Amino acid sequence: MPYLDQSKLTNLKNNLHKYSEDRRDIIKLSGDALHIAKRCIFSLHRDNLVEAQEKLVAAEKILTEINVKHKKTAGLLSEGAYEASLEEYVEAKLFFSFVTKRKITLVTKTS
C-alpha cells in the first residue's frame, strides 16, 4: 500500500491556507469598497459633490489595491463580493458623472 508523500500534503495545506487568506482579504476589501461607493451615492443625493468625489476616489483606490495585490490569484477576482463592489462602484461613477457633467461617461477598468 503506497504512503502519502508528506511534502505534497504540506504543500497542499499551505496552498489552501494561502487561498483562504487571499479570499478573506478580497471579501473584506470588497466590502469596504462597496460601502464607500454607496456613501458616494448618498452624498450625491444630498448634493455634496466634494464628499462624493472623495468617496469615489477612495473606492477606486481600494479596487485598484485588490487588483494589484491579487493579480496572481486572478481566479479569486470572480468572487461575488468583489463583483458586487465593482457594480456599486460603476453605479457611483456613472451617477457622479451624470450629476456633475450631465452626461454618462465611459467607466474604464481600474488598475
Side-chain angles (χ1 to χ4, degrees):
M1 176 172 183
Y3 292 97
L4 295 174
D5 184 357
Q6 282 302 100
S7 65
K8 288 185 180 181
L9 284 177
T10 301
N11 189 31
L12 178 63
K13 176 184 166 190
N14 292 340
N15 287 343
L16 288 173
H17 183 68
K18 174 78 169 110
Y19 175 85
S20 180
E21 283 181 345
D22 288 347
R23 182 174 178 268
R24 283 193 308 260
D25 187 51
I26 287 174
I27 290 170
K28 190 246 181 260
L29 290 172
S30 295
D32 293 346
L34 184 139
H35 179 73
I36 292 170
K38 279 187 180 297
R39 291 182 61 204
C40 170
I41 292 168
F42 298 153
S43 295
L44 289 169
H45 288 166
R46 294 188 308 272
D47 292 325
N48 188 341
L49 300 182
V50 173
E51 183 179 319
Q53 186 168 22
E54 290 170 356
K55 301 296 182 198
L56 198 58
V57 169
E60 186 168 347
K61 182 179 176 186
I62 292 171
L63 292 171
T64 300
E65 177 187 346
I66 292 171
N67 285 327
V68 169
K69 193 173 180 182
H70 297 287
K71 190 180 292 187
K72 293 183 180 180
T73 54
L76 282 173
L77 296 182
S78 62
E79 182 66 44
Y82 177 69
E83 291 179 346
S85 67
L86 284 178
E87 180 181 337
E88 198 67 31
Y89 167 75
V90 168
E91 183 180 336
K93 184 105 175 176
L94 291 173
F95 190 36
F96 183 83
S97 173
F98 180 75
V99 169
T100 59
K101 300 175 185 171
R102 292 294 180 215
K103 65 180 186 176
I104 304 294
T105 57
L106 180 66
V107 177
T108 57
K109 183 178 178 180
T110 59
S111 81

